[in-house]
Amino acid sequence: MLLPIRAICRSKRVKKDGTAPIFLQYCYSRTKRTLLSTGIAIPPEYWQKKQLRISPQLPPEIGDAVKLNDELLRQKRLVEDLVAEAARKQITDKGAFVKKAFSPSLDVKALDERIVTVAKQETAKKEAKHDIYYQFDEYIKTKERKVSKATLTVYSNVKGHLQAFERYRQEKINFASFDFNFYHDFIDYLTFEHVHMRRQEVLTGLKLNTIGKTIKHLRGFLKDRVKRKIIAPIDLTDFKIPEEESDAIYLTHQEIIAIYQTDLSDHPYLVEYRDLFVLACLTGLRFSDFSTLKPEDLQRDMLYKKQEKSDHWVIIPLREEAKHIFTRQFRERIPALTNPEFNRHIKTIGKLAGLNRSIKFSYKKGNKSIEVIKPKYDWITSHTARRSFCTNEFLAGTPVELIMKISGHKRTKDFYKYIRISPQEAANKIKELWIKRDGMRLVQTDNSAVLNK
């Protein structure tokens, strides 16, 4: 049977000078053990395995066997004292505690001070592991290779919202905080009190869909920590995800053509922004994808692109205009862009293209509906291109499953969120289908008088 603490010589670790290190092995369970370096090394043939000590025959030029054995005994007693202290303080991971506290040069007089220091460190580390923000950082680390940078930013925003709420109510948030009352107080805070910046403007309160996204990712974080058995199960039944249909425009083919044909001779710096936006309208790519296109992505008049967000390959046929833009403007170089910069310039281009019609959208804030009226060009963002592609193809009668192959949507539910058509456009589309189907008649007969009876 192995002794809980014993000296061993690692004969398989012989150094160039022919010596092997001696360790103190602490077996703190049947399957777990840790090795503690003694700083002593001898030729392995002078180690007595049964006696667990250095042979008296050790050559004097290597060391004094008696003194070295006394030193091993002193260090062994130090380890025994550390183990006893770990038991007294009810430290769960005794192996980690002993390994961190032990040092061959540790003086018995300084032992108590060392034990207190390490115990405090271990306690602080244990508390940190149960800190919600420490766990959120660990959660984000596990996602770094699985999601886009934009999604990682969303995770960080959720963490920031929790920290802001904690400061607002002046009460520490921990994993035991997440109950029905917390949920409703958090929703109220995000709706009416949360102060944030948007385009250099100080705003109070978030939109309903932004709040919904916060709750969605908070739920995902908590469920992940439960599955990993880091925290106890939490009942999230009441953590509903509030949402409303988002207001977002799309551009018709005529409006895209107007942008493409806009005279930018007085604004030559806008040409590459305009062309890249039109390319996105004709391919359905996200900003993170169309801003990172490379020459090799074009093969046989098709774009082959691995989407950053979904890690999914899409193959996109190119219209003549899209092919012309890619080969003429961006075959050698896609300009280095930021999303805010791109959105700012494409609004200017939309204004120059004459997209001035007033558009009214509304959003919920608590029980109030807030309306915002702006010219259409001021609603344009990089994501408008993707919505325009999906909506225009849908209106043109392209089967949804084929559009999804290009857009990269995996669920029909998510795809239909991108379709932006007015009631009038929906009515016109149904009328067009009815005319093709049966000429707008319910009863098909050669004698139209039948319908007039």
Side-chain angles (χ1 to χ4, degrees):
M1 180 179 178
L2 293 177
L3 297 175
I5 304 169
R6 66 169 189 161
I8 62 173
C9 182
R10 303 300 293 269
S11 57
K12 293 182 180 180
R13 293 189 179 183
V14 179
K15 303 176 184 178
K16 291 183 179 179
D17 62 1
T19 63
I22 297 176
F23 293 89
L24 290 174
Q25 179 178 266
Y26 170 40
C27 302
Y28 51 98
S29 77
R30 291 189 176 184
T31 58
K32 296 180 180 180
R33 63 193 66 181
T34 187
L35 293 178
L36 308 170
S37 176
T38 65
I40 300 172
I42 63 170
E45 60 267 25
Y46 293 102
W47 179 252
Q48 297 178 327
K49 291 184 178 181
K50 290 184 178 181
Q51 292 80 11
L52 301 178
R53 57 188 292 117
I54 299 170
S55 168
Q57 307 301 318
L58 181 71
E61 62 270 19
I62 295 176
D64 186 321
V66 174
K67 290 182 178 179
L68 291 176
N69 281 324
D70 287 345
E71 175 61 17
L72 287 176
L73 182 60
R74 183 191 73 82
Q75 292 188 30
K76 181 174 179 290
R77 287 171 178 167
L78 276 177
V79 177
E80 289 171 346
D81 289 340
L82 290 172
V83 171
E85 187 64 20
R88 189 176 70 81
K89 293 186 178 297
Q90 297 182 334
I91 294 174
T92 305
D93 194 344
K94 295 184 178 65
F97 172 81
V98 171
K99 191 173 185 66
K100 193 167 186 178
F102 176 77
S103 169
S105 60
L106 184 62
D107 194 327
V108 175
K109 296 179 181 179
L111 182 59
D112 289 341
E113 183 180 343
R114 177 66 173 167
I115 288 173
V116 170
T117 300
V118 173
K120 286 182 178 179
Q121 291 174 345
E122 289 300 308
T123 300
K125 185 177 179 181
K126 185 177 180 180
E127 290 176 351
K129 286 187 176 181
H130 288 83
D131 178 79
I132 188 169
Y133 305 118
Y134 171 87
Q135 288 299 333
F136 223 118
D137 289 337
E138 292 298 302
Y139 174 69
I140 293 174
K141 287 178 184 177
T142 65
K143 297 290 186 176
E144 286 178 349
R145 294 185 178 182
K146 300 176 182 177
V147 301
S148 67
K149 291 180 180 179
T151 303
L152 292 177
T153 300
V154 173
Y155 294 153
S156 296
N157 290 342
V158 175
K159 176 187 169 184
H161 293 160
L162 284 173
Q163 290 173 319
F165 181 49
E166 183 177 86
R167 291 191 295 270
Y168 171 77
R169 71 173 188 170
Q170 298 181 342
E171 183 179 337
K172 181 74 175 175
I173 296 175
N174 53 45
F175 287 108
S177 302
F178 297 104
D179 57 15
F180 182 78
N181 290 327
F182 174 92
Y183 169 77
H184 281 279
D185 290 346
F186 191 39
I187 293 287
D188 285 346
Y189 165 76
L190 293 176
T191 303
F192 302 108
E193 306 295 342
H194 183 67
V195 178
H196 59 106
M197 293 287 294
R198 181 174 176 82
R199 298 174 187 168
Q200 299 182 339
E201 181 183 359
V202 179
L203 300 175
T204 302
L206 300 174
K207 292 183 179 180
L208 190 63
N209 282 342
T210 305
I211 295 173
K213 186 182 294 185
T214 299
I215 298 300
K216 172 187 173 182
H217 289 297
L218 176 60
R219 282 167 50 110
F221 158 67
L222 294 174
K223 287 180 178 180
D224 178 89
R225 298 296 94 175
V226 169
K227 286 181 180 179
R228 294 176 186 271
K229 298 183 179 180
I230 295 172
I231 63 173
I234 299 176
D235 183 4
L236 298 174
T237 306
D238 293 318
F239 281 56
K240 308 297 183 183
I241 301 173
E243 62 179 341
E244 63 180 341
E245 184 176 342
S246 61
D247 291 325
I249 63 166
Y250 86 98
L251 302 182
T252 65
H253 280 143
Q254 290 71 29
E255 289 171 324
I256 296 170
I257 291 170
I259 287 178
Y260 186 46
Q261 295 179 343
T262 297
D263 182 5
L264 297 177
S265 55
D266 292 335
H267 312 275
Y269 69 96
L270 293 177
V271 171
E272 59 185 13
Y273 293 93
R274 185 269 310 277
D275 286 1
L276 195 53
F277 179 75
V278 172
L279 179 64
C281 286
L282 300 180
T283 58
L285 291 172
R286 297 180 181 87
F287 176 84
S288 58
D289 296 323
F290 70 71
S291 62
T292 56
L293 286 170
K294 298 177 181 178
E296 55 268 28
D297 293 333
L298 180 62
Q299 301 176 31
R300 299 184 299 277
D301 295 338
M302 299 270 195
L303 274 183
Y304 290 72
K305 186 64 178 175
K306 189 175 186 180
Q307 295 182 322
E308 181 181 321
K309 182 176 181 179
S310 62
D311 202 31
H312 179 73
W313 278 98
V314 293
I315 303 174
I316 308 170
L318 294 185
R319 293 175 181 268
E320 288 299 319
E321 294 83 359
K323 180 182 176 183
H324 178 67
I325 290 172
F326 189 85
T327 55
R328 182 198 67 190
Q329 184 80 315
F330 304 119
R331 184 62 192 268
E332 298 301 326
R333 181 186 68 89
I334 291 290
L337 305 172
T338 64
N339 208 348
E341 174 192 25
F342 184 86
N343 288 339
R344 185 173 66 255
H345 288 314
I346 196 59
K347 285 176 171 59
T348 301
I349 295 167
K351 184 177 182 179
L352 293 172
L355 305 184
N356 301 315
R357 180 167 59 91
S358 293
I359 302 289
K360 179 174 70 175
F361 283 140
S362 62
Y363 63 91
K364 287 283 189 181
K365 188 174 183 181
N367 60 356
K368 295 181 179 180
S369 181
I370 299 174
E371 294 184 346
V372 180
I373 302 175
K374 294 191 293 186
K376 189 166 187 176
Y377 67 79
D378 214 18
W379 292 103
I380 299 176
T381 68
S382 61
H383 220 57
T384 303
R386 183 167 166 80
R387 292 187 185 277
S388 299
F389 173 83
C390 293
T391 302
N392 284 324
E393 289 301 320
F394 178 80
L395 289 173
T398 305
V400 169
E401 59 270 21
L402 293 183
I403 305 174
M404 290 173 62
K405 286 292 183 181
I406 294 178
S407 67
H409 287 104
K410 295 181 180 179
R411 299 190 305 175
T412 307
K413 176 184 175 181
D414 294 331
F415 170 80
Y416 277 109
K417 291 179 180 179
Y418 273 73
I419 303 304
R420 287 294 179 268
I421 58 176
S422 67
Q424 183 65 52
E425 288 171 321
N428 290 339
K429 185 62 180 176
I430 291 176
K431 182 178 180 180
E432 178 186 323
L433 292 172
W434 285 354
I435 291 173
K436 289 181 179 179
R437 187 185 305 158
D438 50 29
M440 294 291 288
R441 287 186 174 183
L442 177 63
V443 179
Q444 298 299 315
T445 175
D446 292 335
N447 186 0
S448 59
V450 174
L451 290 175
N452 299 322
K453 286 184 178 180

